[in-house]
Amino acid sequence: MPVAIITGASKGLGRALARALAARGWDLVVDARSTGPLREAARELRGAGGRVVAHVGDVADGGHRAALVAAAAELGGLDLLVNNASALGAEPLVRLAEHPLDGLRRALEVNVVAPLALIQLALPLLRNSTYGSYLSSYEGEAPYIGEAPSGRPGGAIGAYEAHTTCGNSHNSYLSDSTPYVGAGGAVLCLSSDAAVEAYPTWGGYGASKAALDQLSAVLAVEEPGLRVWCVDPGDMRTDLYAAAVPDDDASGRPLPGTVVPALLRLLDRGAPSGRYPAAGAAAPADTGSAR
């Protein structure tokens, strides 16, 4: 069975994706900082029949990251690394003039440094993964994620974003070309539209996600055998968003599970490395991206 590491998997999008992969028979290594929610998530995931290793800890801690990768190795390797855990840097969010510098350092540590450190530890396992090999003969439409771009109504590639900050050799990918498939595993990093748009009060968090986007783009160029995706999941009803903008009514925002099918299509169809916005990624200018 394939193996995935998912950080921040006790709730929100991390838990929703873990639930979907567990239902497909994946073995999982999951983490979170809170014992109770993680124990509950692990119990649910094990109900699908696969092996689940749950580690309580902070991704900013080197020993914790090493334990996650070691657990994957014990399960047989690593086919997918999902960098989902995030920190806002300030709760609630504030303008840059008032942004605590320690909070910005925390956001950069969790959202940028920790994902890179985890990737570095996981690279040997990801390079040895054979999960992508079965996709090498895939013939069909490119993964649909988001709305079709103008001029291509209903186009298979959907809203694939060849963003200048994430440019690589695969950004010329077209819907009628053969999907790029790395021979090894995949890295999925959860980004935000705050990484590319200037929303008031989202400056610190957005800067950290912009840095994560760029790291992912460079990793894709340096590791062509892997698939490296940054996904902006768009507006979601999550605890993180509630902490960011506590006065905003998030009841009308979609639940994290609505994004999971798009993530699975990236995985199933061997999408080229790049930055992808999910459906409904545009956020109101006065509130910014919902996480």
Side-chain angles (χ1 to χ4, degrees):
M1 289 295 108
V3 179
I5 293 175
I6 305 177
T7 64
S10 66
K11 54 189 176 181
L13 183 55
R15 182 166 178 173
L17 178 58
R19 183 185 300 119
L21 292 179
R24 290 174 163 217
W26 283 62
D27 293 328
L28 301 173
V29 179
V30 295
D31 89 329
R33 289 184 297 159
S34 300
T35 302
L38 182 61
R39 182 183 297 119
E40 178 186 345
R43 185 182 304 113
E44 176 194 7
L45 297 172
R46 291 188 182 107
R51 296 176 294 174
V52 177
V53 178
H55 280 291
V56 176
D58 191 327
V59 292
D61 178 77
H64 175 66
R65 294 191 298 263
L68 296 178
V69 176
E74 291 179 4
L75 290 176
L78 182 61
D79 304 290
L80 174 65
L81 170 60
V82 182
N83 285 309
N84 171 68
S86 294
L88 289 168
E91 298 182 14
L93 295 178
V94 295
R95 298 170 65 88
L96 289 175
E98 293 86 36
H99 201 295
L101 297 184
D102 285 346
L104 177 59
R105 292 186 185 97
R106 170 66 179 172
L108 291 170
E109 188 70 30
V110 173
N111 302 348
V112 187
V113 177
L116 177 57
L118 195 51
I119 288 167
Q120 289 174 338
L121 289 173
L123 270 176
L125 295 178
L126 290 168
R127 289 168 179 156
N128 287 332
S129 169
T130 59
Y131 182 74
S133 61
Y134 94 96
L135 293 169
S136 61
S137 60
Y138 174 83
E139 295 180 1
E141 293 181 337
Y144 179 86
I145 178 167
E147 298 178 357
S150 59
R152 302 179 66 90
I157 190 62
Y160 173 67
E161 181 178 303
H163 196 276
T164 55
T165 62
C166 295
N168 59 50
S169 61
H170 309 305
N171 275 355
S172 60
Y173 181 79
L174 299 175
S175 63
D176 56 357
S177 66
T178 301
Y180 166 77
V181 180
V187 177
L188 170 60
C189 296
L190 276 300
S191 184
S192 167
D193 61 319
V196 295
E197 299 290 346
Y199 298 124
T201 74
W202 290 85
Y205 178 80
S208 70
K209 290 298 184 177
L212 180 63
D213 282 0
Q214 181 65 2
L215 284 178
S216 300
V218 173
L219 179 67
V221 174
E222 295 178 344
E223 298 287 338
L226 305 182
R227 288 160 293 150
V228 184
W229 307 308
C230 258
V231 173
D232 167 12
D235 289 351
M236 295 186 297
R237 195 189 321 166
T238 63
D239 289 351
L240 190 70
Y241 182 76
V245 192
D247 295 332
D248 186 58
D249 180 9
S251 60
R253 298 177 183 272
L255 292 170
T258 62
V259 178
V260 171
L263 302 182
L264 296 178
R265 284 192 289 272
L266 287 178
L267 185 65
D268 290 344
R269 301 187 179 185
S273 295
R275 189 181 194 277
Y276 291 78
D286 61 340
T287 60
S289 172
R291 307 294 288 167

